[in-house]
Amino acid sequence: MSAIRALADQLARRSDDDLRRLLTRRPDLILPAVPDFAALAARASTRASLQRALDNVDRPELQVLETVTVLSEDAGGGVDRDALAAALPGSDGDALEAILSGLVERALLAVAPEGGLLPVGALADALGPYPAGLGRPFRTLARTVPRFGPALVGAVPLLAPDSPSEDLTSAAAARIIDSITAQPAAWQDVLADAPEGASALLVRLRDAPVGSTATDTTPNGGATPAVRWLLDRCLLAPLDALHVELPRGVGIALRGHTVFTTLDVAPPLEVERTTRPALRDNASFGAIAETLRLMTALLGSVATTPVTTLRSGGVGVRELRRVRDALRAGEADAAWLLELAAAVGLLTLDPDDSRWKASRLDAWEALGRDEQWLLLVEGWLAVDRAPALVGSRLPDGTGINTLAAEASRPDAPMVRQRLLSAATELSVAGGAEPSAPRLPVLTDQAVIALATWHQPRLQRRFTRLLPGMLAEAQSLGLTGDGALTDAGRLVAEGRLEEAARAVREALPTPVSHVVLQADLTAVAPGYLEPEVARGLLRMSTAEGQGPATTYRFSADSIRGALDAGEDAPSILAFLALHSATEIPQALTYLVEDTASRYGSLRVGRAGSYVRTEDDAVAATVLADPRAAVLGIVQIAPTVLVSAASPQELVALLRDLGFSPATDATGSAATTAPRTDTDREPGQFRMPPEQLRSRLNPWSVAEEEISAQLATLRSARPGAADHAAASDSETLLGLETLRAAIRSRSRIRLGTADSEGNHVRQILVPLSVSGGRLRVFDPENQVEKVVSVHRVMDVEILEGSPSDG
């Protein structure tokens, strides 16, 4: 029976609870829904689905899967549990059985009729060409490496002088050498005759089978004696002039004739150093206050001067430095804040001028600190970008700019969730209790190691992304001094509202007063109330960093307050209300002197003007309601000005019945751009379901699973045997082809030619990948490639193995 049909039968015999657990762990199997168990088994056997499932298995589960795959390829059938345990020395029987049960439950392993274990469908392809870090078998290398097949025949007399070598084929030679490497005594005899350096070279390739010899391995090349000795005996397979591959049998022999030397069932939970709870909390609350302060400063700066983008997208280095100088922060901090502000909608890109502008600044300032923090945390969890990649290099050598498309990472929310899970697990293992005198510090190496243990196939992305994300978590106060905070633990558990409440209770109460000093400065003794901070920023310039900010008064800063509509009495009244000391006389003089000289000249904006000698005409224009649309005002008895362009003003006057003449000197008029203050604040906080990303894009609701189970149970009896779905039929054909490739059997292949005719040929399949089947035509002695979509039927010819 076909393996797919056998899997369909096994799935049909499962209970609803078992199927529900399977579909919860592998939701892509029913996206879209399947009509019967045959289609479900076919989809579970596809390479794409298996790769998604492999991304979520931990290290011991992956080791077991790779071991079963290796043993099944070598044995050509099901793997006995005793053979599996022997290939994983030191493994606990109960732990191994629990792992096997979980893998069978997730349809990653199937149980053969005789009780052995088999990899499901295209699992071998999903694992890659080197499962368990082992090379390809001798027989596979003989078919794929041109020089290796004849070399195997010549190596048999060197390794087994007593073996008959007449009329020996490469396939038979591969079996002989494979049997030598599989016998511990025979393998030790081979190594006993090895020249100096040969064993060291083999050990170097034991866990990474493809490597370089740094010398020419061609027959007449300058290979060292050790390399030449290994090549002559086919213990290394030459891939090109400099690279070799360690055959699988040699790799297993070097590991003590086991696939893995040990089964890593225990996660790495080592803690290198610890910190005190007080240091953690102080660092965390300081980071939260500083992030909120910098975010407010960034939005104020962008509201005044929007951030310009490059033609290629993103914010350039020069513009980023301007933002950095405005915030008095580092470039990495400026880039991170820009990315975070854009993630939560505090910055929006104006498509008209390609500039990032502040959005809903008033609504942001109206939020409490805990609400501001919660908004940033939600956005950080949900955004599908990796700000830490800013500044790094792409393969072509170009750098990644802030807010550029190259920093997009759809997997970023999943990696952040893994970061929080690993941080929680390390903290619990290190004894991070509220009353503990010391707390474990989360280092980059420890977090990456634990995350990789849980998802070993994602090691490269964890190594690239987790260090930057750990620094971002520290900026948000999820960690402090390297240790996980109480708020960070609540966020990891999904209790965001409780985390915000904990932050609100822990942060010190904002202060509403400052200390005015005689050197024209004001010192804030802590985190200022937002309204007080905004008032000070209108009339002074902030200096320094942190909650104890210094504000410096100058003539320019006072004029800024006057431009905003303040006057000397209102400025002094504000300072008197929020000062813990009396206003210094020097500051009083500065305010009054600057205000007394302010306004002797008035500057406004006018795009056009109207000059007339008739006062009645001017009065008529002003009295018409349509004139208010263009902002027409009178600045003299016979002069009107408008912010509109001359063309708009002329059109209005003609609509009013006048015949104006255009003055050439007034033709150059400009209109002021809109600012962010023209926007309506609206509802600022986004719904949580929009901010919190679906960490698994393939997740399904309980209702969808129930509906799918009802469809499967209502399918016609025997539907799984007929495999009505087209995708299952295709996979059945691919399964037959792979079986023929493994057994080196000839097949009768039916294909559709360019004219739609059904053509049958007897061929030897060599490989299938990428939608193409490579075959050998024994009649014409040529190789050719057939598109898989043209294959109509496949039949293995029994008793016809190929010797190729």
Side-chain angles (χ1 to χ4, degrees):
M1 179 184 290
S2 163
I4 293 179
R5 291 194 173 102
L7 178 61
D9 289 343
Q10 294 178 21
L11 293 176
R13 289 193 295 269
R14 292 191 182 188
S15 66
D16 286 354
D17 291 339
D18 291 340
L19 288 174
R20 195 178 301 275
R21 284 193 292 270
L22 168 64
L23 300 181
T24 301
R25 298 293 296 273
R26 296 181 63 182
D28 62 297
L29 297 184
I30 58 173
L31 291 175
V34 293
D36 50 35
F37 282 104
L40 181 66
R43 189 171 295 172
S45 303
T46 60
R47 179 174 182 173
S49 179
L50 289 168
Q51 284 177 329
R52 295 189 195 100
L54 289 175
D55 286 345
N56 293 301
V57 301
D58 57 30
R59 179 169 294 160
E61 291 174 335
L62 183 62
Q63 287 179 308
V64 171
L65 286 173
E66 291 181 324
T67 303
V68 171
T69 301
V70 169
L71 296 181
S72 64
E73 288 181 355
D74 293 342
V79 178
D80 182 75
R81 281 173 167 78
D82 294 335
L84 179 62
L88 296 168
S91 58
D92 180 76
D94 294 338
L96 181 59
E97 191 61 35
I99 292 173
L100 291 174
S101 298
L103 295 174
V104 172
E105 180 182 276
R106 279 178 278 172
L108 296 175
L109 290 179
V111 180
E114 63 276 8
L117 298 167
L118 287 171
V120 168
L123 182 62
D125 293 336
L127 288 172
Y130 306 112
L134 295 170
R136 291 171 289 179
F138 283 105
R139 61 180 182 275
T140 303
L141 291 170
R143 294 197 303 267
T144 57
V145 179
R147 287 187 290 153
F148 196 66
L152 282 171
V153 177
V156 169
L158 300 177
L159 293 175
D162 297 335
S163 298
S165 57
E166 295 182 2
D167 300 328
L168 194 65
T169 64
S170 60
R175 288 193 293 270
I176 294 173
I177 298 178
D178 209 356
S179 65
I180 293 173
T181 59
Q183 301 173 32
W187 174 246
Q188 291 302 322
D189 292 340
V190 171
L191 291 183
D193 297 333
E196 182 180 359
S199 296
L201 179 58
L202 291 176
V203 170
R204 182 163 62 88
L205 297 173
R206 180 182 58 189
D207 299 320
V210 177
S212 172
T213 62
T215 55
D216 192 347
T217 61
T218 56
N220 297 323
T224 63
V227 173
R228 180 55 54 195
W229 186 88
L230 293 171
L231 290 172
D232 291 342
R233 286 154 181 79
C234 289
L235 301 181
L236 289 179
L239 302 180
D240 54 36
L242 296 178
H243 295 86
V244 295
E245 180 176 333
L246 189 72
R248 178 175 295 176
V250 179
I252 292 178
L254 292 172
R255 297 181 183 184
H257 293 85
T258 62
V259 178
F260 286 100
T261 56
T262 182
L263 185 63
D264 299 329
V265 293
L269 298 173
E270 295 81 8
V271 176
E272 297 181 5
R273 60 187 181 91
T274 59
T275 187
R276 295 197 304 272
L279 291 177
R280 178 201 66 175
D281 294 341
N282 289 338
S284 170
F285 300 143
I288 292 174
E290 181 67 3
T291 298
L292 296 180
R293 183 191 71 82
L294 287 174
M295 182 60 70
T296 303
L298 171 67
L299 297 178
S301 173
V302 176
T304 304
T305 308
V307 178
T308 305
T309 60
L310 301 170
R311 290 184 178 180
S312 58
V315 178
V317 175
R318 183 177 301 177
E319 189 73 359
L320 182 61
R321 289 174 180 169
R322 183 187 65 79
V323 175
R324 175 203 64 185
D325 295 340
L327 300 180
R328 293 181 296 281
E331 284 192 19
D333 293 333
W336 146 247
L337 289 168
L338 283 170
E339 290 275 0
L340 186 59
V344 298
L346 293 171
L347 294 181
T348 55
L349 183 63
D350 191 334
D352 295 333
D353 54 11
S354 297
R355 296 194 298 174
W356 289 93
K357 299 181 180 179
S359 175
R360 305 180 180 97
L361 176 57
D362 294 339
W364 162 262
E365 293 178 340
L367 294 175
R369 286 181 297 170
D370 59 316
E371 293 176 310
Q372 291 178 341
W373 176 83
L374 179 58
L375 177 72
L376 298 183
V377 170
E378 286 179 330
W380 179 71
L381 290 173
V383 66
D384 55 351
R385 295 180 60 80
L389 295 180
V390 173
S392 61
R393 295 288 174 181
L394 296 172
D396 60 0
T398 58
I400 298 178
N401 293 318
T402 307
L403 296 174
E406 290 78 8
S408 295
R409 288 297 297 255
D411 58 344
M414 180 276 297
V415 177
R416 292 190 189 96
Q417 191 65 23
R418 174 55 63 192
L419 163 65
L420 295 175
S421 300
T424 302
E425 191 173 351
L426 284 169
S427 299
V428 172
E433 298 296 331
S435 59
R438 306 290 296 184
L439 301 174
V441 172
L442 308 173
T443 61
D444 293 350
Q445 295 77 10
V447 174
I448 292 173
L450 182 56
T452 301
W453 184 89
H454 282 289
Q455 294 175 282
R457 286 170 62 90
L458 306 184
Q459 179 181 8
R460 293 182 62 184
R461 77 178 71 175
F462 287 153
T463 303
R464 180 170 174 79
L465 298 180
L466 280 181
M469 291 181 176
L470 198 58
E472 295 165 5
Q474 183 162 317
S475 298
L476 291 171
L478 303 180
T479 63
D481 197 30
L484 186 68
T485 62
D486 295 336
R489 182 179 291 105
L490 291 172
V491 170
E493 296 171 357
R495 299 152 63 184
L496 299 180
E497 299 295 339
E498 295 181 42
R501 186 162 53 250
V503 169
R504 181 176 65 250
E505 295 172 353
L507 287 177
T509 304
V511 298
S512 60
H513 63 277
V514 294
V515 178
L516 295 177
Q517 302 183 117
D519 62 349
L520 300 179
T521 60
V523 178
Y527 184 87
L528 285 175
E529 291 181 351
E531 183 178 354
V532 178
R534 288 194 299 271
L536 283 173
L537 288 174
R538 282 198 303 268
M539 60 189 66
S540 62
T541 303
E543 296 179 347
Q545 298 182 6
T549 306
T550 300
Y551 297 86
R552 181 169 298 279
F553 298 92
S554 63
D556 289 339
S557 66
I558 298 299
R559 277 194 293 269
L562 296 174
D563 289 337
E566 302 279 358
D567 55 19
S570 64
I571 294 175
L572 294 175
F574 176 86
L575 295 176
L577 178 63
H578 298 291
S579 175
T581 59
E582 293 186 0
I583 301 177
Q585 190 177 42
L587 181 56
T588 303
Y589 286 164
L590 174 66
V591 173
E592 293 178 343
D593 182 62
T594 303
S596 65
R597 292 184 283 107
Y598 180 81
S600 58
L601 293 177
R602 294 285 179 176
V603 177
R605 180 169 55 239
S608 56
Y609 67 88
V610 177
R611 189 180 66 227
T612 178
E613 301 299 333
D614 190 343
D615 294 344
V617 172
T620 302
V621 173
L622 290 173
D624 195 292
R626 288 175 287 179
V629 177
L630 298 185
I632 298 177
V633 295
Q634 188 172 22
I635 61 173
T638 59
V639 179
L640 307 178
V641 296
S642 170
S645 66
Q647 292 79 9
E648 292 175 301
L649 186 56
V650 168
L652 174 65
L653 293 175
R654 287 174 178 169
D655 289 341
L656 297 179
F658 298 101
S659 299
T662 302
D663 189 345
T665 60
S667 60
T670 59
T671 58
R674 293 180 300 170
T675 63
D676 184 67
T677 56
D678 299 326
R679 302 175 185 265
E680 295 184 4
Q683 183 67 27
F684 182 64
R685 287 291 304 280
M686 296 182 184
E689 60 271 13
Q690 293 184 14
L691 275 178
R692 296 169 190 162
S693 175
R694 294 173 68 184
L695 300 180
N696 182 5
W698 297 95
S699 60
V700 293
E702 185 66 25
E703 295 78 8
E704 295 177 270
I705 295 178
S706 299
Q708 180 62 81
L709 290 178
T711 301
L712 292 173
R713 295 303 186 193
S714 63
R716 291 184 302 103
D721 292 334
H722 293 90
S726 60
D727 57 347
S728 59
E729 288 289 355
T730 302
L731 285 169
L732 287 171
L734 291 175
E735 181 186 16
T736 304
L737 287 172
R738 292 191 177 98
I741 293 172
R742 287 193 298 269
S743 63
R744 302 183 298 280
S745 300
R746 299 189 180 193
I747 61 173
R748 181 177 288 110
L749 184 68
T751 58
D753 62 14
S754 58
E755 298 179 356
N757 300 317
H758 191 183
V759 180
R760 289 181 178 271
Q761 295 175 286
I762 295 178
L763 304 168
V764 179
L766 301 177
S767 65
V768 56
S769 63
R772 296 182 180 278
L773 170 65
R774 189 166 64 91
V775 296
F776 175 73
D777 186 349
E779 181 179 352
N780 299 315
Q781 294 293 305
V782 294
E783 283 190 13
K784 54 186 178 181
V785 175
V786 180
S787 297
V788 171
H789 72 273
R790 291 188 177 273
V791 176
M792 300 179 66
D793 54 77
V794 183
E795 178 187 358
I796 297 179
L797 301 179
E798 299 294 339
S800 59
S802 170
D803 294 335

